[in-house]
Amino acid sequence: MSINLKNLISVLDAKWTGPDTDIFIDHISIDSRSLQNGSKTLFFALSGANNDAHLYIPELIEKGVQNFVVHHIPKNSEGKANFLVVKNTLTALQQFAGYYRDLFDFPVLGLTGSNGKTIVKEWLNFLLSPDYNIIRSPKSYNSQVGVPLSVIAINEKHNLGIFEAGISTVNEMSKLENIIKPTIGVLTNIGSAHDEGFENLEQKIKEKLLLFKKSKVIIYQKNELVDQCLRTFCEEYPIKDRVLFSWSFGDSSADVFILEKEIKNEKTIVQYQYQSDFFDLEIPFSDSASVENTISCLLVLLYFNYDFETIQNRMQMLYPVEMRLEVKNGINNCSIIDDSYSSDFQSLKIALDFLESQQKRNATKTVILSDIFQSGFSNEELYSKVAQLIADNKVNRVIGIGKTIASFAAKFPNIITFENTAEFISKFESLNFNNETILIKGARSFQFEEIVSLLEEKTHETVLEINLNSISHNLNFFKAKLNPAVKIMVMVKAFGYGNGGLEIAKLLEHHKVDYLGVAFADEGISLKNGGIKLPIMVLNPESTSFPSIIQYQLEPEIYSIKGLKAFLKIAREKNLKDFPIHIKLDTGMHRLGFEENTIDELIETLKGNTTVQVKSVLSHLATSDEMKHYDFVISQINLFEKLSSKLIAELNINPIRHILNTSGISNFPAAQYNMVRLGIGLYGVSNDPSEQKYLENVSTLKSIISQVRKIPTGDSVGYGRRFMAEKETKIATIPIGYADGIARLWGNQVGYVMIRNQKAFIVGSICMDMLMVDVSEIDCKEGDSVIIFGESPTVIEMAEALKTIPYEILTSISQRVKRVFFR
């Protein structure tokens, strides 16, 4: 990309202001945190309910960024950079992407639907890549922001595009169509995702079809409603000689009719009829979703006139698609970012940004990188760009694997190369991985999963998966409820409610929250040692921890005269000045805090003191989640207002004030003050069922089947023979028990796990390290995945059955259970 900034004035309908009228840009950015921003970056300052990138423009100018698209110029920034002032920066980003798309003329596939878009896109990329230089959406970049960023990655060497488009309501698809402008449309499975954004299924289908306004061919699964919508669509948006290319399991009038489907050895054999001929196709999957997605790919290949032999050979090589970046604990205090299934230039840029956000404090940044495919550049140009990207991201060492990257090793000042993965493995012991954050980024053919296995910390087969995207979603959901100037503290105590404190803290720092809250000093020290720079409040500091709190620049909550005097004594001994403390008031919780009759003594103790600064005044609501106690909550808020106002007036201070917790944010918005404290809501749990549907599940506890056996009628399972088989029963043993945090009360057919999307009830008592389930009606085998909790059963469902709260379920998960973080 090389575009004269002046050309964009009319494209974006912008007003120009700035010192340089003749500059070329080669990079588009919306992320102020990216290390890839530079002097030739055009930064679009996007604004939304949760964030405003205009706030970071002065910082970006200091770092050398000179070109911005804004809807207003920040104070004191005019004249310091080039600004294109527009009405709406997101609209401007989309206009730019549409303009950029028009610079290229080659076939473009546009994919939409409820399910399967990303998988079909990745499989089409694999199936067509031997014959085309393909540009495709990275990961699942299919949103109003993701689509323009995907299209902007096109370069002159590409000759086929594959882009996906996702929508959640009406009036969204036309914007994406104007960016992608697909010549070939693929409609994947239409399911229930985002149903709440549409009046009915017909409206959803009609909105999705708008992606294909200019498409010469539309590929879809034939059914009555889709056919009806397509007839209306084609009348409204006519294209000469447009082809509707359909397939069906049951309608023989479809262009491709699937006559038979047979599952053998985890594979599916389908017989299909096309142009009066009959063919048998072997698909390397047995689940119906994968079969449908494969048939969508089949129709694309047929439209491209591939012969049957080529189709069969390539289809047999299809593979499960990993659509996420995973963060895993590694050997020797390393962190592993597993992106070992793709290697292209655009996804490398995304992965490097993720590497920066997950880097441990003072840890070496290492990238293990295979040859890169389908970049659209010549190898000379590609590896020059990759080397520059590595340098911009301050990567300490690169391990290149593959003949091509090895031949360009001279471009990388810090690279070790190996011809193939086997050679790397043979030299593994000599490479000395220690205290590093390691990005593993490789094309599938290099089998980098073997490298991940070598580097990964070895623990048992039960894992707690934490979805970082869901945490971001939930954070933004609650931020959207706040008034513009209200700060947000996020609670990461109790090891991030059992999910992993440091990794979540890194993500929250990436999202620029204002404060983190922990229960005890050692939790805060761990975060500081992990490189967290955000201010951290310690809510339950013990007086013995005060020296450590000061040493690590933590901020203590002070809740008693005794504690205040103890801290002041140490502060004077260390000659501190204005060290931040937080005053806790007891307004009715009666757990910790200064009561009303101690306020005068508190004021007297703090008056004239210069060693500490009251950074905030806070209290805690006892019943913000139960509206039957509404009057009590109001009385707490009123007392907080009275006591905090007295402190402010008597001490002549201007502290942050905060009283609302998660449920308080939703139920008592008038009491937001200067800050709120978000806790369990971040992790996808609400006390309000109407709110719960808008939150995303964060934690999924997974295990595997260790063994499957059949027991005869009358035999028992587990300690105490608490389960007796009334008939021949198939039992599966799962390697997770009460030592991992699963309550024994969840056993004896109270609780269940999910195996192959079916409930398997727990039989007998839960053991320390194992539990047993009835799988008589489930076709399963040893090694199959098991969901202990997640989407089903939810921690809310478990808590209700066990007469406890979701907090206890989450925080009970043992530290011996490996945490895996992914995007």
Side-chain angles (χ1 to χ4, degrees):
M1 176 190 296
S2 181
I3 294 176
N4 193 317
L5 206 56
K6 285 192 298 185
N7 295 344
L8 300 182
I9 298 173
S10 60
V11 171
L12 306 183
D13 191 22
K15 178 184 176 184
W16 170 279
T17 176
D20 195 342
T21 58
D22 190 27
I23 190 166
F24 285 80
I25 54 106
D26 62 9
H27 177 236
I28 302 297
S29 176
I30 63 167
D31 188 350
S32 63
R33 300 157 296 195
S34 175
L35 296 180
Q36 296 159 34
N37 295 326
S39 61
K40 292 187 177 181
T41 293
L42 178 60
F43 183 85
F44 284 79
L46 301 187
S47 301
N50 310 309
N51 205 359
D52 183 359
H54 292 77
L55 298 174
Y56 313 122
I57 287 176
E59 178 185 333
L60 284 165
I61 292 173
E62 286 185 15
K63 292 179 178 178
V65 180
Q66 282 292 296
N67 311 293
F68 299 90
V69 177
V70 298
H71 66 68
H72 71 273
I73 300 174
K75 188 178 179 181
N76 300 324
S77 293
E78 192 158 359
K80 296 181 179 179
N82 302 311
F83 292 98
L84 291 169
V85 184
V86 298
K87 291 180 180 178
N88 183 294
T89 50
L90 174 57
T91 300
L93 176 66
Q94 294 169 340
Q95 288 170 332
F96 173 80
Y99 157 79
Y100 188 74
R101 164 70 177 89
D102 286 337
L103 300 178
F104 302 91
D105 183 21
F106 51 72
V108 170
L109 285 92
L111 282 66
T112 191
S114 302
N115 307 297
K117 297 183 293 294
T118 302
I119 292 170
V120 171
K121 178 201 67 189
E122 292 298 320
W123 284 351
L124 285 174
N125 175 68
F126 170 78
L127 294 165
L128 296 170
S129 60
D131 311 303
Y132 294 92
N133 201 343
I134 298 172
I135 173 70
R136 73 190 192 279
S137 310
K139 302 295 177 184
S140 49
Y141 271 40
N142 60 26
S143 67
Q144 298 291 314
V145 175
V147 167
L149 294 178
S150 300
V151 168
I152 288 164
I154 299 173
N155 68 49
E156 292 76 8
K157 302 295 175 59
H158 292 124
N159 57 15
L160 180 67
I162 310 175
F163 299 106
E164 55 176 298
I167 57 170
S168 57
T169 188
V170 295
N171 302 320
E172 290 185 345
M173 188 60 87
S174 288
K175 297 174 184 176
L176 302 185
E177 187 279 332
N178 195 46
I179 299 168
I180 300 173
K181 300 180 177 72
T183 57
I184 302 166
V186 180
L187 185 66
T188 64
N189 176 274
I190 299 292
S192 60
H194 300 296
D195 271 358
E196 65 276 7
F198 303 93
E199 292 178 4
N200 51 46
L201 186 58
E202 180 179 353
Q203 186 188 52
K204 180 197 280 191
I205 294 170
K206 287 181 175 179
E207 179 71 16
K208 290 184 180 293
L209 289 177
L210 292 177
L211 179 63
F212 309 141
K213 286 180 186 177
K214 302 179 186 71
S215 298
K216 295 179 179 178
V217 60
I218 301 174
I219 293 169
Y220 70 103
Q221 182 177 6
K222 191 175 182 65
N223 70 50
E224 187 175 343
L225 183 56
V226 173
D227 282 338
Q228 175 188 320
C229 293
L230 271 169
R231 284 193 295 271
T232 304
F233 171 80
C234 291
E235 290 171 3
E236 191 170 352
Y237 302 100
I239 293 284
K240 185 180 179 182
D241 299 326
R242 174 184 274 147
V243 175
L244 300 182
F245 194 27
S246 64
W247 67 271
S248 176
F249 287 119
D251 188 340
S252 60
S253 68
D255 297 292
V256 176
F257 178 46
I258 314 298
L259 289 87
E260 294 181 15
K261 186 171 69 168
E262 182 183 3
I263 296 175
K264 285 184 178 179
N265 301 321
E266 301 289 318
K267 297 180 181 181
T268 304
I269 311 297
V270 300
Q271 185 182 75
Y272 68 91
Q273 182 181 4
Y274 174 57
Q275 294 180 342
S276 302
D277 291 324
F278 295 85
F279 304 91
D280 287 331
L281 178 67
E282 183 179 290
I283 298 171
F285 307 101
S286 58
D287 63 290
S288 58
S290 294
V291 172
E292 286 191 16
N293 291 332
T294 306
I295 294 171
S296 291
C297 295
L298 168 65
L299 264 73
V300 173
L301 296 182
L302 292 173
Y303 177 74
F304 275 69
N305 292 317
Y306 280 84
D307 62 80
F308 173 75
E309 185 176 351
T310 301
I311 291 172
Q312 180 62 83
N313 289 340
R314 293 186 186 179
M315 287 285 190
Q316 287 177 336
M317 298 167 65
L318 290 178
Y319 51 86
V321 174
E322 290 290 336
M323 294 183 289
R324 63 196 197 181
L325 291 163
E326 286 190 347
V327 184
K328 304 174 179 179
N329 291 330
I331 60 173
N332 304 328
N333 197 35
C334 290
S335 287
I336 310 300
I337 299 174
D338 182 1
D339 195 13
S340 58
Y341 295 95
S342 68
S343 181
D344 59 85
F345 185 68
Q346 190 66 7
S347 66
L348 175 61
K349 294 168 73 173
I350 295 167
L352 285 169
D353 275 341
F354 188 59
L355 168 64
E356 176 63 20
S357 73
Q358 289 296 311
Q359 182 195 9
K360 287 187 174 181
R361 184 181 184 183
N362 299 324
T364 298
K365 283 196 288 188
T366 297
V367 174
I368 301 176
L369 184 65
S370 78
D371 288 347
I372 295 176
F373 301 129
Q374 303 162 338
S375 70
F377 304 111
S378 67
N379 282 337
E380 178 72 30
E381 187 178 6
L382 169 63
Y383 287 99
S384 296
K385 286 179 175 290
V386 172
Q388 186 61 52
L389 201 57
I390 294 289
D392 290 344
N393 281 271
K394 299 179 173 59
V395 173
N396 301 90
R397 70 165 168 168
V398 181
I399 296 173
I401 299 179
K403 293 180 180 178
T404 307
I405 194 171
S407 68
F408 290 95
K411 294 184 179 293
F412 301 82
N414 50 356
I415 194 170
I416 308 168
T417 62
F418 299 93
E419 190 168 294
N420 51 48
T421 303
E423 185 186 358
F424 168 88
I425 291 172
S426 70
K427 303 287 178 60
F428 177 77
E429 295 297 333
S430 66
L431 293 171
N432 190 28
F433 291 99
N434 211 311
N435 194 35
E436 299 172 55
T437 306
I438 306 168
L439 170 62
I440 301 175
K441 181 82 176 140
R444 188 173 188 84
S445 58
F446 282 83
Q447 297 180 314
F448 273 15
E449 60 270 22
E450 296 180 26
I451 296 176
V452 173
S453 179
L454 280 174
L455 285 167
E456 193 175 1
E457 186 179 55
K458 304 303 182 285
T459 55
H460 71 100
E461 292 159 313
T462 297
V463 299
L464 183 66
E465 291 189 345
I466 295 97
N467 186 332
L468 296 177
N469 291 78
S470 294
I471 288 180
S472 298
H473 169 88
N474 297 337
L475 173 66
N476 288 334
F477 173 80
F478 285 101
K479 283 175 73 175
K481 293 175 176 282
L482 304 182
N483 296 325
V486 175
K487 300 177 184 295
I488 188 165
M489 173 191 285
V490 180
M491 310 310 296
V492 290
K493 60 183 180 177
F495 194 56
Y497 288 67
N499 291 288
L502 179 58
E503 288 78 6
I504 291 173
K506 288 177 185 176
L507 178 64
L508 296 171
E509 190 165 61
H510 197 64
H511 280 295
K512 299 183 183 290
V513 303
D514 300 283
Y515 261 91
L516 298 178
V518 298
F520 299 104
D522 57 350
E523 294 177 312
I525 291 168
S526 176
L527 295 180
K528 288 291 186 180
N529 284 334
I532 298 301
K533 297 180 176 60
L534 282 175
I536 299 172
M537 185 190 299
V538 182
L539 278 76
N540 306 323
E542 298 155 321
S543 58
T544 55
S545 69
F546 286 161
S548 296
I549 284 174
I550 293 168
Q551 177 185 348
Y552 285 92
Q553 295 294 296
L554 304 173
E555 302 182 15
E557 175 189 284
I558 303 295
Y559 49 81
S560 69
I561 292 294
K562 180 182 177 183
L564 176 59
K565 289 181 176 178
F567 191 82
L568 289 175
K569 180 175 183 293
I570 294 174
R572 285 192 294 269
E573 290 171 355
K574 293 183 176 293
N575 296 315
L576 300 181
K577 183 173 175 58
D578 292 335
F579 193 92
I581 63 171
H582 302 265
I583 299 298
K584 175 73 170 286
L585 304 178
D586 181 4
T587 58
M589 180 80 168
H590 296 327
R591 188 171 63 179
L592 292 174
F594 291 94
E595 294 181 284
E596 187 171 8
N597 61 7
T598 64
I599 295 299
D600 289 337
E601 186 179 0
L602 168 63
I603 291 169
E604 194 60 36
T605 307
L606 285 172
K607 260 187 180 175
N609 195 298
T610 58
T611 57
V612 297
Q613 174 193 19
V614 178
K615 196 68 179 285
S616 84
V617 180
L618 66 145
S619 188
H620 194 72
L621 298 178
T623 59
S624 61
D625 58 331
E626 297 183 62
M627 297 308 284
K628 66 181 180 181
H629 296 297
Y630 176 87
D631 290 341
F632 181 76
V633 176
I634 294 300
S635 72
Q636 279 197 271
I637 293 169
N638 289 338
L639 182 56
F640 177 68
E641 173 66 29
K642 174 185 172 182
L643 299 183
S644 62
S645 295
K646 183 175 182 178
L647 277 176
I648 289 168
E650 295 278 348
L651 295 174
N652 192 27
I653 57 176
N654 185 30
I656 299 167
R657 289 194 283 178
H658 47 114
I659 191 171
L660 297 185
N661 51 11
T662 295
S663 51
I665 293 170
S666 298
N667 295 334
F668 297 91
Q672 291 179 9
Y673 286 98
N674 314 104
M675 186 161 76
V676 299
R677 301 188 301 272
L678 178 61
I680 193 72
L682 182 77
Y683 306 98
V685 176
S686 171
N687 293 302
D688 180 356
S690 65
E691 184 175 78
Q692 182 64 46
K693 64 184 180 183
Y694 296 107
L695 299 179
E696 292 185 358
N697 179 64
V698 168
S699 309
T700 302
L701 183 59
K702 289 184 173 182
S703 192
I704 65 163
I705 296 176
S706 294
Q707 191 174 33
V708 179
R709 62 167 58 78
K710 285 185 178 179
I711 63 170
T713 303
D715 270 21
S716 61
V717 174
Y719 288 118
R721 305 195 74 195
R722 290 184 174 87
F723 173 81
M724 305 290 292
E726 296 178 357
K727 60 181 180 179
E728 184 181 72
T729 306
K730 187 165 65 168
I731 299 294
T733 301
I734 320 297
I736 182 172
Y738 59 77
D740 300 293
I742 306 303
R744 292 184 76 244
L745 291 174
W746 189 236
N748 291 317
Q749 295 177 287
V750 173
Y752 65 92
V753 302
M754 296 296 291
I755 299 173
R756 291 185 173 263
N757 296 315
Q758 297 177 68
K759 290 184 179 181
F761 280 89
I762 300 170
V763 294
S765 297
I766 292 176
C767 308
M768 180 181 287
D769 309 299
M770 285 169 278
L771 58 83
M772 289 69 73
V773 297
D774 182 351
V775 292
S776 300
E777 305 302 320
I778 301 174
D779 180 17
C780 60
K781 62 183 185 304
E782 292 172 6
D784 280 356
S785 179
V786 179
I787 305 296
I788 310 299
F789 66 65
E791 296 287 354
S792 179
T794 66
V795 292
I796 295 173
E797 181 183 350
M798 292 178 71
E800 288 173 350
L802 297 173
K803 294 180 171 53
T804 183
I805 55 176
Y807 298 72
E808 184 175 345
I809 305 295
L810 288 171
T811 57
S812 295
I813 303 305
S814 165
Q815 293 304 299
R816 79 176 186 177
V817 174
K818 178 173 67 176
R819 270 69 174 172
V820 173
F821 301 85
F822 69 90
R823 288 194 188 216

